Amino acid sequence: MQKVIYPGSFDPLTFGHLDIIERLSRQFDEVVVLISWSSRKKYILDIIERKTAVTKVCQKFSNVRVDAFEGLLVEYVKKNNINMIAKGLRNARDYEYEMTMDHMNKTLFPDVETLYLISRPELSFISSTLVKEIASLGGDLKKFVPSEVEAYIKKKDKK
Ligand code: COA
């Protein structure tokens, strides 16, 4: 059984992420979407809110499971017997950044491999950070995030 893990902040999950999940679900028997944590990010949705929103969106894929974890990615991977990580690449900047993370992860756990999927051109401009900025200024998110995710962001705004 071929398993792959797709980790990310998903704050929020965008159509770019969803495209990667869909493509992985066609190539692997099981896809674990892992809602993770990065010290570089400031989150608007907490980890439970992100997990709930992503789970709703991923219900349509029978082989996709959503989990949340605040520790080291390689520890989760080891514990769950997964040796393939998947990441999306939008541009050369993502590549540089991912290469450093890849080396760090491989140094921590040499058995792990990372697979890179190039974003579709029509989705490669979407960024979670810019989606958050548009949301904070009351802009329309329909073209960037699924409706379930938009509902979560709107609910958060009202609090
Ligand atoms: N389409 C659209 N956007 C995409 C995309 C795609 N296909 N692929 C990536 N992105 C965007 C995201 O929206 C996000 O945009 P932003 O920078 O505007 O917020 C960005 O690319 C990637 O952010 P994120 O989801 O946080 O992923 P990441 O590649 O930076 O990795 C973790 C973050 C959480 C997976 C990583 O920090 C991690 O593994 N954390 C666990 C702790 C750990 O092990 N740390 C050591 C790591 S070496």
Side-chain angles (χ1 to χ4, degrees):
M1 177 154 158
Q2 272 206 306
K3 262 195 201 184
V4 67
I5 187 163
Y6 179 42
S9 296
F10 303 109
D11 187 49
L13 173 132
T14 67
F15 285 129
H17 298 125
L18 192 55
D19 173 56
I20 302 288
I21 295 169
E22 194 170 356
R23 287 159 62 187
L24 289 172
S25 80
R26 275 192 250 120
Q27 302 298 333
F28 289 86
D29 299 310
E30 188 183 343
V31 181
V32 179
V33 177
L34 190 72
I35 319 297
S36 326
W37 178 88
S38 166
S39 58
R40 293 178 304 271
K41 300 269 161 97
K42 197 169 161 267
Y43 296 109
I44 51 161
L45 299 174
D46 68 37
I47 198 158
I48 303 297
E49 290 168 324
R50 282 180 277 145
K51 185 180 173 192
T52 311
V54 176
T55 302
K56 277 193 181 164
V57 176
C58 290
Q59 264 168 1
K60 59 184 170 192
F61 307 110
S62 60
N63 60 342
V64 175
R65 183 165 67 79
V66 182
D67 200 2
F69 183 67
E70 288 186 288
L72 267 183
L73 176 62
V74 290
E75 290 306 324
Y76 183 94
V77 159
K78 268 189 224 170
K79 223 169 110 189
N80 290 276
N81 282 321
I82 304 172
N83 52 20
M84 182 73 78
I85 298 172
K87 292 283 188 86
L89 287 183
R90 294 167 297 176
N91 49 42
R93 219 172 50 175
D94 278 357
Y95 171 77
E96 297 265 329
Y97 168 62
E98 291 295 343
M99 197 165 65
T100 310
M101 260 197 294
D102 189 315
H103 293 322
M104 294 294 257
N105 283 331
K106 235 174 167 355
T107 304
L108 290 167
F109 182 37
D111 288 349
V112 78
E113 282 299 340
T114 306
L115 174 76
Y116 296 96
L117 283 83
I118 304 290
S119 293
R120 289 187 195 288
E122 67 273 25
L123 299 173
S124 63
F125 67 94
I126 303 178
S127 130
S128 295
T129 302
L130 291 179
V131 165
K132 281 184 269 196
E133 185 171 314
I134 293 168
S136 72
L137 298 169
D140 189 358
L141 301 181
K142 281 188 184 56
K143 290 186 175 150
F144 312 120
V145 303
S147 53
E148 298 90 333
V149 172
E150 191 183 6
Y152 257 86
I153 299 172
K154 283 193 174 148
K155 209 160 81 186
K156 190 85 184 175
D157 267 359
K158 284 193 186 129
K159 281 186 186 166

